[in-house]
Amino acid sequence: DTEVTQTPKHLVMGMTNKKSLKCEQHMGHRAMYWYKQKAKKPPELMFVYSYEKLSINESVPSRFSPECPNSSLLNLHLHALQPEDSALYLCASSQAPRRGADTQYFGPGTRLTVL
Amino acid sequence: RKEVEQDPGPFNVPEGATVAFNCTYSNSASQSFFWYRQDCRKEPKLLMSVYSSGNEDGRFTAQLNRASQYISLLIRDSKLSDSATYLCVVSTGNQFYFGTGTSLTVIP
């Protein structure tokens, strides 16, 4: 099973709302990632969690707050977003963070619209 | 300089054609190489990993040239269902670097 699940599939929120995106994998992967993807662009890395610890933050604004409650779950908490944050948010996982030879598997994404 | 450079296309080819995509990477310490396929409004899906010896999966052949830091993907006998964006991905440690993607449309 190479499945990464994400909820919700679609989310519309106002600039003052607080919402969370959820990601789950049961492949025993120890690295999990959040990416943001705008139309006709490649995914842009936001955060990397390695063994449930934040290992990379690509200078993401604090209105995005990641959380890794356990090795299977990854959340992205959203607060006071801007319309330009509207995008497809992709979660991914890979097996062993430092081996460098592992495949990354993506969830279906959450399509976020900020009004 | 970008970590991964890829010709964005678009490539418009007739059914049955052979098409090749190329990608270069800047970090000689890069360890793993992949081609992903992404359909419109969907997530990227792994098409194939790329090995130094080259590898083939049906109509798809991937090549890696470490000396030139170059990766390629060849699609033979193109099908309409091959229409998608093809992303070259290079990894170093737990960092994955994406090319801009190459758009392919196969025309009946």
Short mmCIF file of all heavy atoms in Angstrom, two decimals, chain B residues 4 6 9 13 19 21 23 25 30 37-38 41-42 48 59 71 74 76 91 94 102 105:
data_model
loop_
_atom_site.label_atom_id
_atom_site.label_comp_id
_atom_site.label_asym_id
_atom_site.label_seq_id
_atom_site.Cartn_x
_atom_site.Cartn_y
_atom_site.Cartn_z
N VAL B 4 17.48 22.09 -10.47
CA VAL B 4 17.07 21.21 -11.57
C VAL B 4 16.49 22.07 -12.69
O VAL B 4 15.63 22.91 -12.45
CB VAL B 4 15.99 20.21 -11.10
CG1 VAL B 4 15.57 19.30 -12.24
CG2 VAL B 4 16.49 19.39 -9.92
N GLN B 6 14.69 22.07 -16.49
CA GLN B 6 13.92 21.19 -17.36
C GLN B 6 13.23 22.05 -18.41
O GLN B 6 12.72 23.13 -18.09
CB GLN B 6 12.88 20.46 -16.49
CG GLN B 6 12.13 19.37 -17.15
CD GLN B 6 11.16 18.65 -16.22
OE1 GLN B 6 11.08 18.92 -15.02
NE2 GLN B 6 10.42 17.74 -16.78
N GLY B 9 8.54 22.87 -22.35
CA GLY B 9 7.72 22.55 -23.51
C GLY B 9 6.83 23.74 -23.87
O GLY B 9 7.25 24.89 -23.68
N VAL B 13 2.61 16.14 -29.74
CA VAL B 13 3.07 15.09 -30.65
C VAL B 13 1.89 14.25 -31.09
O VAL B 13 0.90 14.10 -30.36
CB VAL B 13 4.15 14.19 -29.99
CG1 VAL B 13 5.34 15.03 -29.52
CG2 VAL B 13 3.57 13.38 -28.85
N VAL B 19 8.92 10.57 -28.08
CA VAL B 19 9.24 11.90 -27.55
C VAL B 19 10.25 11.75 -26.42
O VAL B 19 10.21 10.76 -25.68
CB VAL B 19 7.96 12.64 -27.09
CG1 VAL B 19 7.25 11.89 -25.98
CG2 VAL B 19 8.24 14.06 -26.69
N PHE B 21 12.33 13.78 -23.17
CA PHE B 21 12.43 14.91 -22.26
C PHE B 21 13.80 14.86 -21.59
O PHE B 21 14.30 13.78 -21.26
CB PHE B 21 11.37 14.85 -21.15
CG PHE B 21 9.97 14.74 -21.65
CD1 PHE B 21 9.07 13.88 -21.05
CD2 PHE B 21 9.53 15.51 -22.72
CE1 PHE B 21 7.77 13.78 -21.49
CE2 PHE B 21 8.23 15.42 -23.17
CZ PHE B 21 7.35 14.54 -22.56
N CYS B 23 16.61 16.78 -18.67
CA CYS B 23 16.67 17.47 -17.39
C CYS B 23 18.14 17.53 -16.98
O CYS B 23 18.86 16.54 -17.17
CB CYS B 23 15.84 16.65 -16.42
SG CYS B 23 15.72 17.25 -14.78
N TYR B 25 20.85 18.71 -13.64
CA TYR B 25 20.86 19.07 -12.22
C TYR B 25 22.23 19.63 -11.87
O TYR B 25 23.23 19.31 -12.50
CB TYR B 25 20.50 17.86 -11.35
CG TYR B 25 21.42 16.67 -11.48
CD1 TYR B 25 22.48 16.47 -10.59
CD2 TYR B 25 21.21 15.73 -12.48
CE1 TYR B 25 23.32 15.38 -10.71
CE2 TYR B 25 22.04 14.64 -12.61
CZ TYR B 25 23.10 14.46 -11.72
OH TYR B 25 23.93 13.39 -11.85
N SER B 30 24.06 14.81 -5.70
CA SER B 30 22.69 14.28 -5.75
C SER B 30 22.73 12.77 -5.78
O SER B 30 23.60 12.16 -6.41
CB SER B 30 21.95 14.81 -6.98
OG SER B 30 21.82 16.21 -6.91
N ARG B 37 4.85 11.86 -13.02
CA ARG B 37 3.84 12.32 -13.97
C ARG B 37 2.76 13.02 -13.15
O ARG B 37 2.35 12.52 -12.09
CB ARG B 37 3.28 11.09 -14.68
CG ARG B 37 2.07 11.39 -15.51
CD ARG B 37 1.27 10.15 -15.84
NE ARG B 37 -0.01 10.58 -16.40
CZ ARG B 37 -0.45 10.20 -17.58
NH1 ARG B 37 0.24 9.35 -18.32
NH2 ARG B 37 -1.61 10.65 -18.03
N GLN B 38 2.30 14.17 -13.65
CA GLN B 38 1.22 14.88 -12.97
C GLN B 38 0.13 15.23 -13.98
O GLN B 38 0.38 15.95 -14.96
CB GLN B 38 1.73 16.14 -12.26
CG GLN B 38 0.64 16.79 -11.40
CD GLN B 38 1.17 17.90 -10.50
OE1 GLN B 38 2.20 18.50 -10.78
NE2 GLN B 38 0.47 18.16 -9.40
N ARG B 41 -4.68 19.03 -12.15
CA ARG B 41 -5.41 19.10 -10.90
C ARG B 41 -5.30 17.82 -10.06
O ARG B 41 -6.14 17.55 -9.21
CB ARG B 41 -6.88 19.46 -11.14
CG ARG B 41 -7.05 20.79 -11.87
CD ARG B 41 -8.51 21.11 -12.10
NE ARG B 41 -9.20 21.48 -10.86
CZ ARG B 41 -9.17 22.67 -10.32
NH1 ARG B 41 -8.46 23.65 -10.87
NH2 ARG B 41 -9.85 22.93 -9.22
N LYS B 42 -4.25 17.05 -10.32
CA LYS B 42 -3.99 15.85 -9.53
C LYS B 42 -2.60 15.94 -8.91
O LYS B 42 -1.82 16.83 -9.25
CB LYS B 42 -4.05 14.60 -10.42
CG LYS B 42 -5.39 14.38 -11.08
CD LYS B 42 -6.36 13.76 -10.14
CE LYS B 42 -7.61 13.30 -10.87
NZ LYS B 42 -8.61 12.77 -9.94
N MET B 48 8.84 6.55 -12.76
CA MET B 48 9.95 5.61 -12.60
C MET B 48 11.14 6.28 -11.92
O MET B 48 11.33 7.49 -12.03
CB MET B 48 10.37 5.00 -13.93
CG MET B 48 10.75 5.96 -15.01
SD MET B 48 10.65 5.23 -16.68
CE MET B 48 11.71 3.81 -16.56
N ARG B 59 6.96 1.15 -22.48
CA ARG B 59 7.29 2.15 -23.51
C ARG B 59 8.19 3.27 -22.98
O ARG B 59 8.56 4.17 -23.74
CB ARG B 59 5.98 2.76 -24.03
CG ARG B 59 5.06 1.76 -24.70
CD ARG B 59 3.78 2.42 -25.22
NE ARG B 59 2.93 2.92 -24.15
CZ ARG B 59 2.75 4.20 -23.87
NH1 ARG B 59 3.35 5.15 -24.57
NH2 ARG B 59 1.93 4.56 -22.89
N ILE B 71 19.56 13.87 -17.02
CA ILE B 71 18.59 12.78 -16.93
C ILE B 71 17.67 12.89 -18.13
O ILE B 71 17.33 14.01 -18.55
CB ILE B 71 17.74 12.92 -15.65
CG1 ILE B 71 18.62 13.04 -14.41
CG2 ILE B 71 16.79 11.76 -15.48
CD1 ILE B 71 17.91 13.76 -13.30
N LEU B 74 12.44 8.81 -22.27
CA LEU B 74 12.01 8.56 -23.65
C LEU B 74 10.67 7.82 -23.58
O LEU B 74 10.54 6.83 -22.87
CB LEU B 74 13.05 7.70 -24.36
CG LEU B 74 12.80 7.43 -25.85
CD1 LEU B 74 13.16 8.67 -26.66
CD2 LEU B 74 13.63 6.25 -26.33
N ARG B 76 8.08 5.93 -26.06
CA ARG B 76 7.87 5.39 -27.42
C ARG B 76 6.39 5.14 -27.64
O ARG B 76 5.63 4.89 -26.68
CB ARG B 76 8.64 4.08 -27.59
CG ARG B 76 10.14 4.23 -27.65
CD ARG B 76 10.80 2.85 -27.87
NE ARG B 76 10.49 1.94 -26.78
CZ ARG B 76 11.14 1.94 -25.62
NH1 ARG B 76 12.13 2.78 -25.40
NH2 ARG B 76 10.80 1.09 -24.67
N SER B 91 17.04 14.05 -5.74
CA SER B 91 17.08 14.15 -4.27
C SER B 91 18.49 14.05 -3.72
O SER B 91 19.35 13.36 -4.28
CB SER B 91 16.18 13.10 -3.62
OG SER B 91 16.84 11.88 -3.50
N ASN B 94 17.26 14.20 2.50
CA ASN B 94 15.80 14.20 2.49
C ASN B 94 15.23 15.43 1.81
O ASN B 94 14.12 15.86 2.07
CB ASN B 94 15.24 14.06 3.90
CG ASN B 94 15.63 15.23 4.79
OD1 ASN B 94 16.49 16.03 4.43
ND2 ASN B 94 15.02 15.33 5.96
N THR B 102 7.57 19.31 -17.74
CA THR B 102 7.42 19.42 -19.20
C THR B 102 6.03 18.96 -19.56
O THR B 102 5.62 17.85 -19.19
CB THR B 102 8.46 18.54 -19.93
OG1 THR B 102 9.76 18.97 -19.58
CG2 THR B 102 8.27 18.64 -21.44
N THR B 105 1.29 16.92 -24.75
CA THR B 105 -0.05 16.64 -25.28
C THR B 105 0.11 15.71 -26.47
O THR B 105 0.84 16.03 -27.41
CB THR B 105 -0.77 17.92 -25.72
OG1 THR B 105 -0.88 18.80 -24.60
CG2 THR B 105 -2.17 17.61 -26.24
#
